[in-house]
Amino acid sequence: MPRGEATAIARAFLPARWWHNRWHYHYARLKLGSDPLYPGVLEALRDTHAPLLDLGCGLGLLAHALRRAGLALPYRGVDNDARKIARAREAARAAALPQVAFEVQDLAAGLPAHRGSVALLDVLQFVPPAAQPAILDGAIAMLTPGAKLVIRTGLDDGSRRARITRGMDAFSRLLGWMNAGPQRYPDPDALQARFAAAGLHAEFAPLHGRTPFNNWRIVATRP
């Protein structure tokens, strides 16, 4: 994102007192300003108005990016980290974001009810391998005609970027930012086969920008 837009969104994460911790403000500003994730997801969702469920939403930065871009589709974010959800709610209130809600939800234990589009951004690799197929199938079942499943994930393709991605994800766990380490990265051929079997049109595109990571944007659309 342009620096000015990233800074404007990040201001919602400023603490109430100047001497309080500003970690989330600086994180949001850096993440939005350096990660090609948000422009890529906004591009994918721009032509749909279906309600969006953001699985593993973290601080809810996607909600802020959507509203900043003028996309008014109803948004609900869920995450298993109660601290991040609490901060996401505070920031959404500070920014007066309309039609935005956040809930605590462990995806490994089940998915919330939803009909519309679904976002799975940097989530699959942190879910236990046995739970990944159920999450994917559950997300696919939520799609309404014209709705989209938008995924950002590293892929298990044996590349140098894949090794760097795994190392950084493990480091994020050591820092305490993620409450789980990387489990298994999806196989691109298996994903494509799953989408085809469900009657979805899927597009895979690299989304690493200027980063060294093996990140891909996958958009699966229900005709």
Side-chain angles (χ1 to χ4, degrees):
M1 273 190 175
R3 181 180 300 178
E5 292 188 18
T7 301
I9 291 175
R11 289 195 185 102
F13 293 88
L14 284 170
R17 300 288 185 270
W18 67 267
W19 62 84
H20 289 174
N21 193 320
R22 295 192 170 204
W23 159 248
H24 287 142
Y25 164 76
H26 292 295
Y27 170 82
R29 187 181 178 191
L30 177 63
K31 178 78 170 175
L32 291 163
S34 63
D35 194 335
L37 169 64
Y38 300 99
V41 174
L42 295 178
E43 179 186 12
L45 293 173
R46 193 168 295 279
D47 62 349
T48 179
H49 301 286
L52 176 67
L53 177 64
D54 187 2
L55 297 172
C57 65
L59 294 175
L61 293 179
L62 178 57
H64 295 261
L66 287 167
R67 298 300 182 259
R68 187 79 184 176
L71 301 183
L73 49 90
Y75 169 96
R76 179 163 55 128
V78 300
D79 200 283
N80 67 350
D81 191 325
R83 295 175 301 174
K84 289 182 181 177
I85 289 295
R87 195 69 187 92
R89 287 170 175 163
E90 292 173 1
R93 285 194 296 268
L97 299 184
Q99 298 192 80
V100 166
F102 294 97
E103 302 168 12
V104 177
Q105 175 85 31
D106 184 356
L107 301 185
L111 301 181
H114 175 71
R115 298 291 290 165
S117 293
V118 182
L120 269 170
L121 309 178
D122 300 328
V123 170
L124 283 176
Q125 63 264 39
F126 296 104
V127 175
Q132 290 183 15
I135 290 175
L136 284 168
D137 289 342
I140 289 170
M142 295 175 181
L143 299 178
T144 53
K148 298 181 178 184
L149 170 58
V150 183
I151 299 173
R152 206 277 283 268
T153 184
L155 293 177
D156 185 12
D157 57 10
S159 66
R160 179 173 178 269
R161 284 182 176 274
R163 294 191 295 273
I164 293 173
T165 302
R166 177 176 290 278
M168 181 54 69
D169 285 343
F171 185 59
S172 296
R173 171 58 176 155
L174 289 175
L175 288 177
W177 179 244
M178 301 300 298
N179 57 12
Q183 303 280 320
R184 183 180 69 188
Y185 294 84
D187 175 85
D189 293 334
L191 280 179
Q192 186 68 268
R194 185 176 295 274
F195 296 142
L200 305 181
H201 172 70
E203 297 180 351
F204 289 63
L207 198 63
H208 44 69
R210 297 179 181 178
T211 75
F213 308 122
N214 190 39
N215 289 325
W216 288 72
R217 187 192 70 177
I218 304 162
V219 182
T221 305
R222 173 78 67 193

